[in-house]
Amino acid sequence: MLSRVAGLVRDVALARFIGAGDAADAFFVAFKIPNFFRRLFAEGAFAQAFVPVLAEYRQKGGKAAARALNDRVAGALGGVLLLVTLFGVICAPIVAGIFAFGWWWDGSEREKFDLATDMLQITFPYLMLISLAGFTGAILNSFDRFAIPALTPVMLNLVLIGAATVATSWFDPQVLALAWGVFVAGVVQLLFQLPFLAREGLLPRPKWDWNHRGVRKILRLMGPAIFGVSVTQISLVMDTLLASFLPSGSVSWLYFSDRLTELPLGVFGVAVATVILPSLSRQHTDGDPRRFRHTLDWALRSVTLISLPASVALVVLAEPLLTTLFQYGQMEPRDMQMAAWSLRAYAMGLLAFMLIKVLAPGYFARQDTYTPVRFGLIAISAKMVLSLLFVIPLNYYLKLGHMGLALATACQAAINAWLLYKGLRRDDVYKPEAGWSVYLLRLIVANLAMVSVLLGALYFWSEWGEWGWYGRAWRMATVVSAGGATYLLVLAVSGLRPRHFRPSS
């Protein structure tokens, strides 16, 4: 929660100081590229393979075996990251050209392309720093130390807030301050976790040993995951590539709408997924399918409880929320209107986004990285087709091509979540526990009551752009509080209690 709230404050600062114009688009591309590769080396393919193997070594060989594995993984991962980072910095124009070909192709956009390239040379080392921070965080998570890795992203947000509010006056163009802020944030995030690793006796001492059995097993498990993540990233490249041909501001509109969708996903969906992966891995190693199924069922009930009202609220309150948070300084009312369309599209996929987070560990914990990749390929293939089907007509007729990209992403998530769920059912790994029909009925009724309250509030308060920040803030706080209270009250009246989410004995 602290991380996501700080991230929200960061995005408010970015909106105020760089808006949604050419400089903002260039920065978001330069920031997106190292994050693109991070999914391979940090919380993506690497983490999916590393955490179950580390859990196995810890269960069977104790802390000494886990430390030996950590040392060798640190050496292998660090060496690969160094080579990739050097390539990215030296070949920044080529890398930027892949992600923003439209800017390179269009002569009138070359200045924006050159700015993105310059910033990419500054931001690309963030890949190495944040991936190593992800590695150290995965070690802590595997030993049930969740707070420090969860708190680490706060450092990125605090540094970028400082860069946006203080350091912009030191640079020309000012947006370069944000690029340097990304680099500094990577250093801070990595250094922040090391003392806690040392205190637990888990600080890795990198050793170059590719023949270690655990390293080879992680590489073998990473193979399908890397392929799957690579295809996913190709899909994201396609999004950025298509956005570079859309009207100026499209990249920024997608960024700000995506950030609001990421708020509930990061606060709750990612948190639940982070906690259950080590638990599921140990339960699988111990041969306890009953607890394994119950853990998955608990996770599905938990994310559904949050994702449904969050999705509905984002659809109903899209423009007022964006206006309240971001329409200051360089941000124009039209930017909020355009971002609201993509936010509504993203929000329709929020439930699916969360379901993927908790269903995929059901495979990774069993060291099955192939099946989620196969399902992901199917979903991504559908998304690539849907992107073209949505973007071209929406951009031509309504100038809402960016909404088409968001809508295709939501459809991809829905397809992926359904395939993951059906796969777990087919393999008899998961079976819904009793009470789901009544539970879903309660959620539907509570959401309908919440929507009526939100729509009633918007009927009386409709001119959000005319109020200052204070007027917007207290009204939005009132609307959100009233909607949330209604939701919880109806659930309580319907008989839902906290005990329904407690683990069974």
Side-chain angles (χ1 to χ4, degrees), residues 315-504:
V315 170
V316 175
L317 300 175
E319 194 166 336
L321 270 172
L322 287 162
T323 301
T324 300
L325 293 170
F326 301 127
Q327 191 182 311
Y328 307 98
Q330 299 296 316
M331 198 68 79
E332 300 293 334
R334 178 176 176 272
D335 295 322
M336 299 299 91
Q337 296 166 6
M338 301 301 280
W341 286 108
S342 51
L343 175 56
R344 294 183 183 104
Y346 278 135
M348 287 189 287
L350 181 58
L351 172 60
F353 295 144
M354 285 202 183
L355 290 178
I356 292 170
K357 293 293 184 184
V358 299
L359 289 171
Y363 294 87
F364 301 142
R366 296 181 293 121
Q367 300 183 13
D368 176 7
T369 55
Y370 171 76
T371 304
V373 168
R374 182 163 58 87
F375 293 156
L377 287 174
I378 296 171
I380 288 165
S381 299
K383 179 196 172 177
M384 290 181 176
V385 175
L386 291 172
S387 292
L388 295 175
L389 291 177
F390 293 157
V391 170
I392 293 174
L394 282 172
N395 190 58
Y396 183 79
Y397 292 107
L398 300 174
K399 303 300 180 186
L400 293 175
H402 67 293
M403 179 187 175
L405 289 174
L407 192 58
T409 300
C411 291
Q412 172 203 346
I415 294 169
N416 200 359
W418 175 250
L419 291 173
L420 289 169
Y421 172 76
K422 293 296 290 183
L424 291 173
R425 292 293 309 274
R426 179 197 64 217
D427 298 338
D428 199 30
V429 174
Y430 170 69
K431 182 180 179 180
E433 297 182 353
W436 266 98
S437 297
V438 174
Y439 178 63
L440 290 176
L441 181 60
R442 287 167 170 163
L443 295 185
I444 291 171
V445 172
N447 275 284
L448 290 174
M450 182 188 72
V451 167
S452 65
V453 171
L454 297 181
L455 291 176
L458 293 184
Y459 177 79
F460 290 102
W461 290 334
S462 58
E463 303 299 328
W464 292 84
E466 296 182 1
W467 301 314
W469 73 267
Y470 180 75
R472 298 175 190 173
W474 75 259
R475 286 178 174 87
M476 181 54 64
T478 302
V479 171
V480 171
S481 299
T486 301
Y487 178 70
L488 294 175
L489 179 62
V490 173
L491 287 179
V493 170
S494 70
L496 193 66
R497 297 292 185 269
R499 69 174 181 271
H500 294 142
F501 294 90
R502 290 174 188 158
S504 63

Side-chain angles (χ1 to χ4, degrees), residues 162-440:
T165 56
V166 177
T168 49
S169 60
W170 306 343
F171 294 87
D172 185 21
Q174 292 184 339
V175 73
L176 286 176
L178 299 179
W180 281 108
V182 170
F183 176 82
V184 172
V187 176
V188 172
Q189 288 178 96
L190 177 58
L191 295 180
F192 175 69
Q193 295 188 116
L194 296 184
F196 298 96
L197 275 174
R199 190 172 67 184
E200 298 290 335
L202 298 171
L203 188 64
R205 295 171 175 81
K207 296 181 180 179
W208 188 263
D209 183 3
W210 290 86
N211 293 319
H212 187 270
R213 179 181 296 180
V215 173
R216 292 203 308 270
K217 187 170 187 178
I218 292 169
L219 290 173
R220 186 170 65 252
L221 293 172
M222 279 184 68
I226 285 178
F227 180 69
V229 173
S230 298
V231 175
T232 302
Q233 299 313 303
I234 290 171
S235 171
L236 295 177
V237 170
M238 183 177 178
D239 285 355
T240 307
L241 182 63
L242 288 173
S244 72
F245 287 97
L246 297 176
S248 180
S250 294
V251 174
S252 300
W253 300 330
L254 286 168
Y255 174 82
F256 287 113
S257 55
D258 175 65
R259 294 305 300 165
L260 279 184
T261 310
E262 288 283 341
L263 183 62
L265 179 62
V267 169
F268 206 76
V270 173
V272 172
T274 300
V275 169
I276 66 171
L277 180 55
S279 297
L280 290 173
S281 299
R282 290 193 292 269
Q283 290 159 9
H284 174 69
T285 301
D286 293 339
D288 192 345
R290 186 189 66 83
R291 288 182 60 207
F292 192 99
R293 291 174 182 173
H294 179 73
T295 299
L296 272 178
D297 197 84
W298 171 85
L300 290 172
R301 288 176 187 259
S302 298
V303 298
T304 306
L305 179 73
I306 299 297
S307 62
L308 283 178
S311 177
V312 170
L314 287 173
V315 170
V316 175
L317 300 175
E319 194 166 336
L321 270 172
L322 287 162
T323 301
T324 300
L325 293 170
F326 301 127
Q327 191 182 311
Y328 307 98
Q330 299 296 316
M331 198 68 79
E332 300 293 334
R334 178 176 176 272
D335 295 322
M336 299 299 91
Q337 296 166 6
M338 301 301 280
W341 286 108
S342 51
L343 175 56
R344 294 183 183 104
Y346 278 135
M348 287 189 287
L350 181 58
L351 172 60
F353 295 144
M354 285 202 183
L355 290 178
I356 292 170
K357 293 293 184 184
V358 299
L359 289 171
Y363 294 87
F364 301 142
R366 296 181 293 121
Q367 300 183 13
D368 176 7
T369 55
Y370 171 76
T371 304
V373 168
R374 182 163 58 87
F375 293 156
L377 287 174
I378 296 171
I380 288 165
S381 299
K383 179 196 172 177
M384 290 181 176
V385 175
L386 291 172
S387 292
L388 295 175
L389 291 177
F390 293 157
V391 170
I392 293 174
L394 282 172
N395 190 58
Y396 183 79
Y397 292 107
L398 300 174
K399 303 300 180 186
L400 293 175
H402 67 293
M403 179 187 175
L405 289 174
L407 192 58
T409 300
C411 291
Q412 172 203 346
I415 294 169
N416 200 359
W418 175 250
L419 291 173
L420 289 169
Y421 172 76
K422 293 296 290 183
L424 291 173
R425 292 293 309 274
R426 179 197 64 217
D427 298 338
D428 199 30
V429 174
Y430 170 69
K431 182 180 179 180
E433 297 182 353
W436 266 98
S437 297
V438 174
Y439 178 63
L440 290 176

